[in-house]
Every structure is written in structure tokens, then in C-alpha cells.
Amino acid sequence: FLHFLSQTKVELVCLRSMKKIFIIAAIAFAALFISCNDTPENPNVPDVYINFTINPNSTEYFEINTVSGWMYLTSHRPSRGIIIYRYSLDEFKAYERLAPNEPDYCGELSRLIVDFPFVVDTCLNVKYSILDGSIITSGYNGYPLIEYRTQYDGHTLRVFN
């Protein structure tokens, strides 16, 4: 009988330990999930519908026929245009030309420009990486580039929000 009781106690201790481990793992998972979205939403994102397709391998878009190529495309206001960058053979980046921080600082017609490998806000003298949209200028705290989603199937590039 004592053998049975001691075995039951061991099983209860194991269950309690497993329960504690499960709770700790759940809390760690939740914290990880919450911390992944720690960048506040940029209030300067233009309220514009972006959804178009192009053939980046055509001669019309020769600037982006090769990796590291980039070009400007026009868009409907309040967007100030889009920068298309060919990141790899099968991946593209699309960035809004509206400055993500203080967009009207130099007037409502100002636009970001590409000075490869950077995208530059010449009004605030801020540089961003064309590779991922992050701020390169040291000591400047602000939003990264406004990025649109892309899909590429080998022939057609879709840019959308």
C-alpha cells in the first residue's frame, strides 16, 4: 500500500511540474507574439488603393530587369509614387515615395529619391535602406519606409496594399 501511495505522489509531482512548464511556455509564447509587433502604426501612410500589375521583364521596365535594379512608378494621390526595387531574381520591394516622417515638411509635392543603395528624404536629410526600408541615419528615430506588398510569379509583378 505504501508503495502505491509513494508512486501516486510522484505522479502528482510530475503532473504539477508539467503544468508549470506548460504555463511558462504559454506565457513565453504569448510574450514573443506580442513583442513581434512593437512598431506603432505609421499615421502618415497615404489612404490610397494600390493594386496593379506589370511585367518587370519587359523592355518597358528595363531598369528592373536585373537584380538591384530600381525605378519610379506613378500612382494616384495622395500617394507620391512608388519605388520598385528588384531584391533578387524572384523578389521585389515596393516603397511609397511619400516621406514616412513629416511628409509635408518641404511641401506636398516633395518625394523620396533613390541614391542607390539608399532612399533619401532630402528635406529631413534622412537615409533609408532600399533593401528593407529601415532607417540608416544614425540618431534619427522615426518610421521606416512605407512598404507595399508584392507578388511575383516569374512573369507578372503585382503591387498592392
Side-chain angles (χ1 to χ4, degrees):
F1 180 73
L2 288 175
H3 182 322
F4 175 74
L5 278 178
S6 65
Q7 186 177 2
T8 306
K9 284 182 181 179
V10 169
E11 287 175 0
L12 284 175
V13 170
C14 286
L15 280 172
R16 286 182 185 150
S17 296
M18 288 179 65
K19 188 175 179 181
K20 287 178 185 177
I21 290 171
F22 177 75
I23 291 171
I24 291 170
I27 291 170
F29 182 73
L32 178 66
F33 222 172
I34 292 168
S35 69
C36 287
N37 192 12
D38 59 357
T39 304
E41 189 173 326
N42 186 339
N44 300 317
V45 173
D47 185 20
V48 62
Y49 178 68
I50 303 292
N51 189 8
F52 63 87
T53 59
I54 62 171
N55 179 352
N57 300 313
S58 75
T59 55
E60 183 178 359
Y61 302 104
F62 71 90
E63 295 98 332
I64 55 174
N65 286 172
T66 58
V67 174
S68 296
W70 63 270
M71 69 180 303
Y72 301 123
L73 294 177
T74 59
S75 182
H76 298 288
R77 292 195 57 77
S79 171
R80 298 199 184 151
I82 298 172
I83 299 166
I84 302 290
Y85 170 67
R86 190 165 201 154
Y87 186 79
S88 67
L89 286 176
D90 58 355
E91 188 177 352
F92 289 82
K93 300 285 187 171
Y95 300 112
E96 172 62 48
R97 289 188 70 192
L98 176 85
N101 303 288
E102 302 184 51
D104 295 325
Y105 188 75
C106 288
E108 62 182 52
L109 297 179
S110 64
R111 292 179 170 85
L112 299 174
I113 62 166
V114 174
D115 184 10
F116 194 81
F118 306 111
V119 176
V120 181
D121 179 345
T122 56
C123 292
L124 297 175
N125 199 25
V126 177
K127 289 184 178 181
Y128 303 86
S129 168
I130 200 166
L131 300 176
D132 63 4
S134 62
I135 297 173
I136 300 295
T137 304
S138 70
Y140 186 82
N141 292 325
Y143 297 104
L145 292 176
I146 298 166
E147 186 171 0
Y148 295 113
R149 298 179 357 186
T150 61
Q151 289 178 337
Y152 181 59
D153 65 7
H155 301 287
T156 304
L157 171 64
R158 178 179 175 219
V159 178
F160 59 102
N161 55 358

